[in-house]
Amino acid sequence: VLERRPLSLRECLTESVKQVTAAAREKGLTLECSVDEHIPATFLGDPVRIRQILVNLLSNAVKFTEEGGVNVSASSTRREDGSCEVHISVKDTGIGIVADKMDRLFHSFSQIDASTTRRYGGTGLGLAISRRLAEQMGGEISVESEAGKGSTFMVTIPAFACTRLDEEAAGRDADGPAGD
C-alpha cells in the first residue's frame, strides 16, 4: 500500500545519495546530484518507495561503474490539470548494456548474463521492484544505454499538490505577490 503524504524530493535525493556515497568514494567515483530550481518543493507521494527506487538505481550505477561517476538529476514539468510530473535520471559511466539484452532488465531474477552475475553479484530484483513501484505510483521507468559507455535510467512520477520553489521562496502564488 502506497502512502500519500507531503514529501521533499530534495530530501529523498539527498538521503538516497548518502546511502551510496561510501561505496562510490571507495571506488574513486564522482557522485553528483542536481535538482532543477523549478522542481516542486513538496508534493504528495510515498517518500519510502521513492527512496527505494533511487537507492536501487544509484546502487546499480555505482556497482556497474569502475571509473568516472554517477549523476542523479531531477526536474519537473507542469501539466494542464495543475499537477506536474517529476523526472529523475540516474546516469553512470559504467559498463553499459547491449541493446539485445535490455529487455531482460526489468524482469525478476534476471541478469544480463552469468558473467555479470558472477562479477557483480545481485539477485536481479532491484530493477523489477523499482519498475513495479514506479508503475504503482502512476509513473514509469526506462533506460538508455550503450555497452561500454554507461547507462541512464529515467523515472517519471506524477506529482500532486505542487509548490514551485521559486514561488514559495518569493512568498507568492502563481498569479503574483501574496495578498494581491
Side-chain angles (χ1 to χ4, degrees), residues 9 13 34-40 73-77 84-89 155 157:
L9 186 60
L13 286 167
S34 62
V35 180
D36 183 82
E37 67 183 40
H38 298 290
I39 198 96
S73 61
S75 63
S76 66
T77 55
C84 62
E85 288 183 337
V86 173
H87 308 279
I88 303 166
S89 71
V155 181
I157 302 169

Side-chain angles (χ1 to χ4, degrees), residues 44-105:
L44 294 178
D46 190 325
V48 172
R49 300 309 191 282
I50 291 172
R51 277 193 302 273
Q52 184 175 4
I53 292 170
L54 289 168
V55 169
N56 280 339
L57 296 179
L58 287 164
S59 295
N60 279 351
V62 169
K63 182 192 316 186
F64 294 108
T65 302
E66 296 301 325
E67 59 184 40
V70 176
N71 179 294
V72 59
S73 61
S75 63
S76 66
T77 55
R78 203 168 276 281
R79 300 193 308 190
E80 287 183 24
D81 66 359
S83 67
C84 62
E85 288 183 337
V86 173
H87 308 279
I88 303 166
S89 71
V90 177
K91 182 176 184 172
D92 65 59
T93 58
I95 63 172
I97 306 157
V98 292
D100 66 342
K101 304 282 185 177
M102 283 208 270
D103 62 331
R104 303 165 103 189
L105 279 178

Side-chain angles (χ1 to χ4, degrees), residues 7-172:
L7 66 90
S8 163
L9 186 60
R10 286 182 186 272
E11 287 177 21
C12 285
L13 286 167
T14 300
E15 291 168 12
S16 300
V17 167
K18 283 181 184 178
Q19 290 189 35
V20 300
T21 298
R25 189 176 294 134
E26 213 172 271
K27 293 178 82 171
L29 303 175
T30 61
L31 185 58
E32 299 175 354
C33 181
S34 62
V35 180
D36 183 82
E37 67 183 40
H38 298 290
I39 198 96
T42 58
F43 64 89
L44 294 178
D46 190 325
V48 172
R49 300 309 191 282
I50 291 172
R51 277 193 302 273
Q52 184 175 4
I53 292 170
L54 289 168
V55 169
N56 280 339
L57 296 179
L58 287 164
S59 295
N60 279 351
V62 169
K63 182 192 316 186
F64 294 108
T65 302
E66 296 301 325
E67 59 184 40
V70 176
N71 179 294
V72 59
S73 61
S75 63
S76 66
T77 55
R78 203 168 276 281
R79 300 193 308 190
E80 287 183 24
D81 66 359
S83 67
C84 62
E85 288 183 337
V86 173
H87 308 279
I88 303 166
S89 71
V90 177
K91 182 176 184 172
D92 65 59
T93 58
I95 63 172
I97 306 157
V98 292
D100 66 342
K101 304 282 185 177
M102 283 208 270
D103 62 331
R104 303 165 103 189
L105 279 178
F106 297 101
H107 294 100
S108 298
F109 303 109
S110 179
Q111 299 280 347
I112 296 301
D113 63 40
S115 66
T116 303
T117 304
R118 282 191 300 275
R119 181 166 183 197
Y120 296 101
T123 61
L125 287 173
L127 291 177
I129 291 168
S130 295
R131 173 171 268 177
R132 180 153 170 107
L133 290 172
E135 289 172 349
Q136 283 181 323
M137 289 185 264
E140 63 185 11
I141 186 169
S142 60
V143 62
E144 293 176 357
S145 185
E146 188 175 337
K149 297 195 178 190
S151 302
T152 303
F153 285 83
M154 296 146 298
V155 181
T156 301
I157 302 169
F160 302 95
C162 295
T163 305
R164 290 175 51 156
L165 288 177
D166 57 342
E167 293 166 357
E168 186 175 274
R172 55 191 161 87

